[in-house]
């Protein structure tokens, strides 16, 4: 099973709402990632978890709050977002962040987020 | 700025023709990877080439890496309509434990 599952597929929220994005993998990977992607742009790294610990935070605003409850799950909690946060949010996993020679990332299909 | 710059930004060819995309980067790397993304979907890993390799093949894909010029190219031979997608190079920068993606090439294969 080389699948990364993201839910929901689509999400519309108001600027005062609180919502969460979920990501799950069962490949035994110990590194998980959140990316943000705007239309016709490359994915931009937001957060990296390695062995369930936050490893990289790319200076993401605090209205985005990541959580890694266990090695298979990754959440992204959203609160008080702005319209410019509308984007495709991608989750990915890899065998091990520190395995520099490999680090092939497996991506989910993404959550299309619209902030009104 | 993005580590990887790709050209062309967009490429449109006829089915059966070969497609070549190029990627340039700025700093020393451990490896360079190519990913494909169908419209609005997740990325799919295509091929990885290590910094000590010069060429790699996988099916209809051929990747070259020139570390002296800090550039790579992806060749797709005998293109098919299903190859229509965006293609991104991604570099694993020495000393960092993250991939940095290039701007991407949007490839359209016309039947």
């Amino acid at each position: 099973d080389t699948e990364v599952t993201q839910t929901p597929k689509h999400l519309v929220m108001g600027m005062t709402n609180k919502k969460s994005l979920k990501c799950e993998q069962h490949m035994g990977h110990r590194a998980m990632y959140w990316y943000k992607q705007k239309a016709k742009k490359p994915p931009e790294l937001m957060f990296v978890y390695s062995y369930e610990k936050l490893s990289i935070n790319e200076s993401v605003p605090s209205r985005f709050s990541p959580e890694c409850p266990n090695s298979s799950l990754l959440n992204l909690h959203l609160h008080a977002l702005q319209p410019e946060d509308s984007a495709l949010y991608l989750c990915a996993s890899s065998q091990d962040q520190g395995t520099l020679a490999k680090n092939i990332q497996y991506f989910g299909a993404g959550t299309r987020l619209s902030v009104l | 700025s993005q580590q990887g710059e790709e050209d062309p930004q967009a490429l449109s060819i006829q089915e059966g023709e070969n497609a070549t995309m190029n990627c340039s980067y700025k700093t020393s790397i451990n490896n360079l990877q190519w990913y494909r993304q169908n419209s609005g979907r997740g990325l799919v890993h295509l091929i990885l080439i290590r910094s000590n390799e010069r060429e790699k093949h996988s099916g209809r894909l051929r990747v070259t890496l020139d570390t002296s010029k800090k550039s790579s190219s992806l060749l797709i031979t005998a293109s098919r309509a299903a190859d229509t997608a965006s293609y991104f190079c991604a570099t694993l920068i020495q000393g960092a434990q993250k991939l940095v993606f290039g701007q991407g090439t949007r490839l359209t294969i016309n039947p």
Side-chain angles (χ1 to χ4, degrees):
Chain A
D1 183 6
T2 57
E3 194 171 296
V4 175
T5 303
Q6 288 189 244
T7 55
K9 287 185 169 46
H10 302 276
L11 179 62
V12 180
M13 60 186 290
M15 290 189 284
T16 59
N17 292 159
K18 285 185 181 181
K19 297 287 184 182
S20 296
L21 309 184
K22 296 187 184 301
C23 175
E24 190 168 4
Q25 57 88 13
H26 295 288
M27 294 178 278
H29 288 173
R30 303 313 301 268
M32 296 186 76
Y33 311 78
W34 280 115
Y35 290 88
K36 173 183 176 180
Q37 186 179 28
K38 300 284 254 184
K40 297 185 178 181
K41 295 292 186 182
E44 294 179 8
L45 184 65
M46 300 174 71
F47 303 102
V48 181
Y49 273 83
S50 179
Y51 289 84
E52 296 140 62
K53 286 185 168 47
L54 185 63
S55 171
I56 295 177
N57 176 344
E58 293 285 86
S59 302
V60 178
S62 60
R63 58 185 183 269
F64 295 90
S65 176
E67 179 196 20
C68 190
N70 60 56
S71 60
S72 299
L73 293 174
L74 186 66
N75 298 321
L76 186 62
H77 302 298
L78 314 173
H79 174 55
L81 295 193
Q82 304 296 311
E84 59 264 28
D85 296 321
S86 298
L88 180 68
Y89 287 84
L90 294 165
C91 173
S93 70
S94 67
Q95 183 177 328
D96 186 331
Q97 185 191 12
T99 311
L100 298 179
K102 296 182 180 178
N103 200 5
I104 293 171
Q105 295 188 14
Y106 294 81
F107 283 79
T111 294
R112 175 76 60 191
L113 175 67
S114 296
V115 182
L116 305 179
Chain B
S1 62
Q2 288 290 329
Q3 160 79 334
E5 299 294 330
E6 294 181 62
D7 78 270
Q9 289 186 7
L11 179 62
S12 181
I13 61 174
Q14 295 299 120
E15 196 167 17
E17 294 180 340
N18 295 341
T20 300
M21 290 158 268
N22 303 296
C23 169
S24 61
Y25 57 92
K26 297 175 182 174
T27 61
S28 296
I29 60 173
N30 283 304
N31 67 50
L32 186 144
Q33 303 179 34
W34 286 89
Y35 287 81
R36 184 188 73 225
Q37 184 177 33
N38 291 89
S39 180
R41 304 285 294 172
L43 282 75
V44 175
H45 178 264
L46 295 176
I47 196 165
L48 177 152
I49 186 165
R50 294 185 173 82
S51 57
N52 61 353
E53 297 176 314
R54 291 297 166 258
E55 187 171 315
K56 203 159 184 182
H57 296 256
S58 177
R60 293 184 296 114
L61 305 180
R62 172 177 169 256
V63 169
T64 61
L65 179 64
D66 187 335
T67 53
S68 66
K69 295 181 180 178
K70 292 187 168 57
S71 68
S72 174
S73 67
L74 171 67
L75 168 68
I76 303 174
T77 60
S79 63
R80 305 168 182 168
D83 295 328
T84 294
S86 291
Y87 291 81
F88 295 94
C89 66
T91 49
L92 189 65
I93 303 167
Q94 283 186 358
Q97 292 182 317
K98 61 182 183 181
L99 289 181
V100 179
F101 287 85
Q103 294 299 307
T105 294
R106 292 189 304 281
L107 176 65
T108 302
I109 309 298
N110 302 303

